[in-house]
Amino acid sequence: MPNLSYVEPITNIVPKPKSTILQTDFVDLKEFCWITSVDFQLDEVIQEFSNQWNLLGWSQPLERRQKSNNSFGISLSLDSNLETNQYSLEIKTSLIQLRAESRESLIVGLQTILQIASLSDGVCSCAIIEDQAASKYRGILLDVSRHFRPASEIKALLRIMAFYKLNHFHWHLVDDQGWRIPIPGYPKLQSVGACRVGTVTGHTLNPSSEVAKKAHEGCYTQEELTDIVHLADSLGITIIPEIDLPGHSSALLAAYPELACESNCGDKSVKTHFGIFKNVLCNKDAVFDFLEIVFKQLATIFPGQYIHIGGDEVKKEYWETCPDCQEIMQQNGIESIGQLHGHFIKRVTGILAKFNRKAICWDDVLVDNDICEDVLIMSWLGAESAQNALANGNQVVMTQSQLYFDFYPSLSTEEPMSIHGHAPLKDVYFYDFDRENPNILGAQANVWSEYLPTRDRLEYALFPRLLALSEMLWTAEDHKDWPNFLVRLNTHSSYLRSLGINVSDSHLSPTFEINWPTNSQCELLINSDFPALTVSYKSNTASSPDIWIDYTKPIIIEERTTIYARFFNNLKEPVGMPVSINVCPHFAISKNISVKTQNGEQLDQNPSVLTNGLTQQQQIFQHDKWFALEETGPYLITIDLESSQTLSELSIGTDGALGRELYRPVSLTASVSIDNKVWSATETLIYDQERQRFLLEMHQRSGRYIKVEVSNNQKTYSFEDERMVNPIVYLDEVVVN
């Protein structure tokens, strides 16, 4: 019998099984000493499972046997009567019987057994578990070009993926910042392409960005790759290697510049910054001769059906003036540079077909291209792009922004710097796609590593979102249970930390909801998914701004205020991460606002972000909370307050965000009108360093209409375009008091 502190491990399984029936008896897993199967193709599978079982440190080692003796062992069998991706697990007092419809399902069932054992002290209930995958493709992408991860970490990740029933590892091996796979006959891919002289510090788009002159290098050996492939196979994981082309090819062209266009006189070094660069492979035959050697090597190493060939974010400027590319267009009746992109992809898919492999591409290749139906599309550009792929007859794997694990897991100001974006745990768990469409195979989380330089940062990005991804893809929609998942997550977070994994607590943060009964009064609600924790808040305008107050009802705000909120446990100890929000009541909230060019063209953005009552100073930078101006301007912002008001101050935010330095506009000027016909003299807004906003004193002037002109007539050097360009200027709240 278990002790009084016993927690049933079977009810803590992630992802949640389809059906679990607990029995009254208990079983002592520490007594189990053998495992058997009549299928000898499972040798490596059983060996890997036994190795992991024996790491639990129990006195009885688990050994392979040819026959069972019906006492304290595990019996495996394939059962053709079960449905696709289904397994059945019966745990008795002295025997565990696992039946599965396939080798892959059997491996998944073994991971369920391993999870039960790992989460317990050796004792669990007898039970019957029936389980089945809801999605065929359950994946993780890891980018090892921007920051190389050693083979030992790749193997550790594969074991965790299998533990949580993920079955596809998309290995992004090549990009502008490094080439990570050896190719016979091309030694400079390792000696040159795998090494960069340094890495940008801070965000790559910061005006003050600099390169730390510390070399970053790494390339897997043939032996390491073979070892990793064998491990993945024993875990039921398919590895999809990616060679990104024809763009994202700076590291390759640094090693072999002859594969570039003749017109490419730019920088062909391994990149120290991040972004989308001009370097692109040429369309000449020598490039495809090289690629045939590359893909022959990949097909030799990786047994999976698919090889990813990228196709995304291709800058085609050099193709337009390249004699070789222009000749290819003329010979093949290609009418546009966009179609030349499709021609390149077709030639590469033809190479893959020689080695009995199929291509995966990002959905960028669908633009202006006639892409073969055999190409599997990974859709990251949005739901509409995924629909275009399906309409074209392609199968699709969803990799949308909600599943970008390099995005911030929360918007707490304590978060380490990320690229941008926000992909909280709850959004991952509730990510939705058309699961009834047989041509949508499943989904994948992408872990781009520009700002994940260490193992700790990588783990922080992965966990616990990987568990939400697991349950989102494995468990049927009608069987998911968010509150119960959070309870199970506590157990798993503790377990993962016991393995030395850096698990984020970012999900342990309240969320805000705001209502504006009037533009001078805000009703702020603080929401929680954790009823066992107390929500507390403090305000910078309170008489005691450092005192946390228990939240019991909506907070009424009538002046510019920053509210901080966080969780506390029953011992009054802070839990998780604090979050904050800047609320600023003013005349222009929800009023009609337009942003136009000098020629009167409306910009294709929602201008209401400028009058929503939320300022962004000292908040994590998020694109959707700022209004972007990409050209020199001038731009004209016009606000209708709907009635004449007595005005004291106008302010506009242009910087002060966390995680990103922003460019300020060259000038901001404003004028006021009562009738939208006669305007006051134009005045210049002055930057206030303390408030990090541009200000204009209005001196109790009356006005209904406000017109602000923004000039961005400035230049900065773009490492991506290798020339001077207009920097993007971002605006936040236009505050009218």
Side-chain angles (χ1 to χ4, degrees):
M1 289 291 292
N3 58 42
L4 293 176
S5 61
Y6 174 75
V7 176
E8 177 55 62
I10 293 178
T11 59
N12 276 314
I13 294 172
V14 172
K16 188 177 181 182
K18 188 174 183 179
S19 170
T20 302
I21 302 174
L22 296 179
Q23 309 292 313
T24 56
D25 291 332
F26 292 87
V27 57
D28 188 351
L29 299 175
K30 297 189 295 294
E31 298 296 323
F32 280 58
C33 60
W34 57 264
I35 183 170
T36 185
S37 171
V38 295
D39 187 344
F40 292 98
Q41 294 181 354
L42 296 173
D43 285 358
E44 291 186 352
V45 173
I46 292 175
Q47 186 60 57
E48 169 63 20
F49 173 80
S50 299
N51 290 344
Q52 295 305 305
W53 180 282
N54 291 334
L55 287 176
L56 296 171
W58 295 337
S59 58
Q60 292 275 17
L62 195 67
E63 298 176 349
R64 176 80 181 269
R65 291 186 184 175
Q66 299 301 319
K67 295 182 180 180
S68 65
N69 59 10
N70 293 322
S71 61
F72 300 108
I74 302 171
S75 174
L76 314 178
S77 62
L78 295 174
D79 187 342
S80 59
N81 294 319
L82 295 174
E83 297 178 4
T84 302
N85 296 325
Q86 184 181 11
Y87 71 89
S88 177
L89 180 62
E90 187 170 3
I91 303 173
K92 303 177 182 179
T93 54
S94 61
L95 181 67
I96 296 176
Q97 292 178 309
L98 173 61
R99 296 180 296 113
E101 63 83 29
S102 65
R103 178 180 184 270
E104 180 183 348
S105 298
L106 191 141
I107 293 172
V108 168
L110 281 172
Q111 291 297 323
T112 298
I113 297 172
L114 184 61
Q115 194 176 123
I116 293 169
S118 300
L119 297 177
S120 73
D121 60 359
V123 177
C124 72
S125 292
C126 295
I128 298 173
I129 297 174
E130 304 288 344
D131 206 1
Q132 188 173 20
S135 300
K136 179 180 179 180
Y137 188 107
R138 309 178 299 278
I140 288 279
L141 172 148
L142 179 62
D143 163 22
V144 296
S145 172
R146 278 60 176 257
H147 284 99
F148 181 74
R149 307 310 326 153
S152 59
E153 292 184 23
I154 302 300
K155 289 192 283 188
L157 176 58
L158 289 173
R159 288 190 169 104
I160 288 291
M161 286 177 61
F163 196 74
Y164 292 110
K165 300 180 174 60
L166 299 174
N167 65 350
H168 284 82
F169 177 56
H170 177 174
W171 206 354
H172 189 78
L173 291 161
V174 171
D175 217 295
D176 295 297
Q177 292 77 21
W179 181 285
R180 308 301 181 198
I181 181 169
I183 303 297
Y186 291 87
K188 287 194 288 185
L189 290 173
Q190 292 173 259
S191 62
V192 177
C195 310
R196 66 175 183 263
V197 298
T199 305
V200 64
T201 59
H203 198 285
T204 194
L205 296 178
N206 285 352
S208 65
S209 66
E210 296 180 352
V211 174
K213 296 293 185 179
K214 180 181 180 182
H216 185 88
E217 57 188 33
C219 190
Y220 300 103
T221 67
Q222 181 73 40
E223 182 181 4
E224 286 175 330
L225 293 168
T226 301
D227 190 30
I228 288 169
V229 168
H230 286 162
L231 174 63
D233 179 66
S234 71
L235 295 169
I237 293 175
T238 299
I239 296 181
I240 298 172
E242 180 180 0
I243 304 295
D244 201 351
L245 50 86
H248 288 283
S249 56
S250 298
L252 168 56
L253 295 181
Y256 294 97
E258 62 269 25
L259 300 177
C261 292
E262 181 181 322
S263 55
N264 182 352
C265 300
D267 174 23
K268 291 185 278 292
S269 64
V270 182
K271 298 303 182 185
T272 57
H273 280 71
F274 306 121
I276 307 170
F277 298 90
K278 293 169 59 178
N279 283 325
V280 62
L281 296 178
C282 186
N283 281 271
K284 58 192 173 188
D285 289 341
V287 169
F288 299 99
D289 293 340
F290 165 78
L291 292 177
E292 184 158 344
I293 294 170
V294 170
F295 290 120
K296 180 180 180 180
Q297 176 71 352
L298 261 68
T300 301
I301 297 171
F302 300 100
Q305 179 184 16
Y306 285 102
I307 293 176
H308 204 303
I309 60 173
D312 62 310
E313 298 176 331
V314 181
K315 290 186 174 179
K316 309 175 183 73
E317 179 180 330
Y318 290 130
W319 285 359
E320 294 176 354
T321 55
C322 170
D324 293 307
C325 292
Q326 293 300 311
E327 183 179 353
I328 292 293
M329 291 178 67
Q330 187 174 8
Q331 290 174 349
N332 292 274
I334 298 171
E335 297 179 354
S336 70
I337 292 297
Q339 291 174 0
L340 184 60
H341 184 194
H343 178 78
F344 189 104
I345 296 298
K346 284 182 179 179
R347 289 197 67 174
V348 176
T349 58
I351 292 171
L352 294 181
K354 292 182 181 180
F355 307 115
N356 197 29
R357 296 293 188 274
K358 293 182 179 181
I360 301 179
C361 292
W362 301 108
D363 48 358
D364 308 53
V365 301
L366 297 170
V367 180
D368 298 326
N369 296 320
D370 180 20
I371 296 299
C372 175
E373 295 177 5
D374 285 345
V375 174
L376 176 61
I377 296 296
M378 283 192 172
S379 178
W380 72 284
L381 293 175
E384 183 179 350
S385 184
Q387 288 303 314
N388 291 339
L390 293 167
N392 192 57
N394 301 92
Q395 292 187 316
V396 173
V397 171
M398 305 299 286
T399 64
Q400 306 292 319
S401 59
Q402 298 95 316
L403 305 180
Y404 270 50
F405 285 5
D406 55 323
F407 285 7
Y408 285 96
S410 85
L411 296 183
S412 170
T413 58
E414 294 184 2
E415 290 286 1
M417 189 189 76
S418 296
I419 185 168
H420 54 65
H422 184 208
L425 183 78
K426 192 171 187 177
D427 285 5
V428 176
Y429 189 87
F430 285 107
Y431 176 70
D432 193 25
F433 59 92
D434 185 1
R435 298 163 199 273
E436 300 302 317
N437 190 327
N439 287 321
I440 300 181
L441 304 184
Q444 169 180 287
N446 294 340
V447 191
W448 303 106
S449 68
E450 288 97 331
Y451 302 99
L452 306 176
T454 64
R455 177 173 181 167
D456 264 10
R457 279 295 286 115
L458 174 60
E459 290 174 347
Y460 186 91
L462 278 167
F463 302 102
R465 289 184 287 191
L466 182 146
L467 282 72
L469 176 77
S470 161
E471 186 143 310
M472 181 269 288
L473 288 169
W474 179 271
T475 305
E477 282 293 297
D478 61 356
H479 206 56
K480 290 176 183 170
D481 186 336
W482 170 246
N484 179 257
F485 172 77
L486 294 177
V487 172
R488 286 176 283 134
L489 185 59
N490 284 334
T491 299
H492 284 264
S493 294
S494 296
Y495 167 71
L496 293 169
R497 290 188 179 109
S498 75
L499 301 179
I501 292 174
N502 184 28
V503 181
S504 166
D505 270 341
S506 297
H507 63 288
L508 293 170
S509 300
T511 57
F512 296 112
E513 179 182 345
I514 61 169
N515 299 308
W516 290 96
T518 70
N519 57 21
S520 62
Q521 185 182 83
C522 169
E523 181 185 65
L524 179 67
L525 291 79
I526 307 177
N527 299 321
S528 168
D529 286 327
F530 300 90
L533 298 175
T534 299
V535 179
S536 298
Y537 73 96
K538 62 182 182 179
S539 164
N540 69 334
T541 58
S543 56
S544 301
D546 295 326
I547 301 299
W548 291 96
I549 304 166
D550 289 351
Y551 174 79
T552 57
K553 61 181 180 180
I555 305 165
I556 304 301
I557 299 173
E558 297 178 331
E559 61 180 322
R560 187 173 69 238
T561 303
T562 299
I563 298 290
Y564 305 86
R566 77 175 309 160
F567 291 129
F568 288 83
N569 61 21
N570 56 9
L571 299 177
K572 301 298 182 182
E573 298 168 331
V575 175
M577 304 186 79
V579 289
S580 64
I581 188 170
N582 302 328
V583 181
C584 188
H586 62 93
F587 289 142
I589 288 174
S590 301
K591 302 303 183 184
N592 184 44
I593 180 171
S594 66
V595 184
K596 298 181 179 180
T597 66
Q598 190 177 24
N599 297 326
E601 297 176 0
Q602 187 81 37
L603 297 191
D604 188 22
Q605 295 180 65
N606 183 0
S608 64
V609 71
L610 294 171
T611 54
N612 62 10
L614 303 177
T615 59
Q616 297 304 316
Q617 283 65 52
Q618 298 306 302
Q619 298 291 316
I620 297 292
F621 176 78
Q622 297 288 292
H623 284 100
D624 62 353
K625 296 184 178 182
W626 295 76
F627 196 94
L629 304 177
E630 299 186 15
E631 305 297 336
T632 58
Y635 296 95
L636 197 62
I637 302 171
T638 306
I639 301 174
D640 179 2
L641 300 178
E642 298 178 357
S643 62
S644 182
Q645 304 291 336
T646 302
L647 307 176
S648 61
E649 182 187 78
L650 172 70
S651 76
I652 301 177
T654 62
D655 63 356
L658 301 179
R660 178 82 175 270
E661 295 174 12
L662 302 178
Y663 289 86
R664 299 176 195 164
V666 172
S667 68
L668 286 163
T669 60
S671 57
V672 177
S673 172
I674 292 177
D675 57 6
N676 201 21
K677 296 177 182 179
V678 179
W679 292 86
S680 68
T682 298
E683 297 181 78
T684 300
L685 282 75
I686 306 301
Y687 186 76
D688 184 292
Q689 188 69 46
E690 182 178 353
R691 288 172 60 182
Q692 298 179 306
R693 298 179 66 80
F694 280 85
L695 307 180
L696 176 63
E697 295 295 331
M698 306 289 277
H699 305 294
Q700 305 304 307
R701 184 180 307 159
S702 294
R704 169 177 171 176
Y705 299 93
I706 297 174
K707 186 163 53 180
V708 178
E709 187 173 291
V710 186
S711 173
N712 184 29
N713 188 17
Q714 59 183 318
K715 296 291 184 181
T716 188
Y717 184 76
S718 167
F719 292 94
E720 297 173 271
D721 294 323
E722 299 176 28
R723 60 185 174 89
M724 300 301 288
V725 300
N726 272 106
I728 298 176
V729 165
Y730 293 92
L731 306 180
D732 89 326
E733 193 76 3
V734 181
V735 177
V736 182
N737 288 317

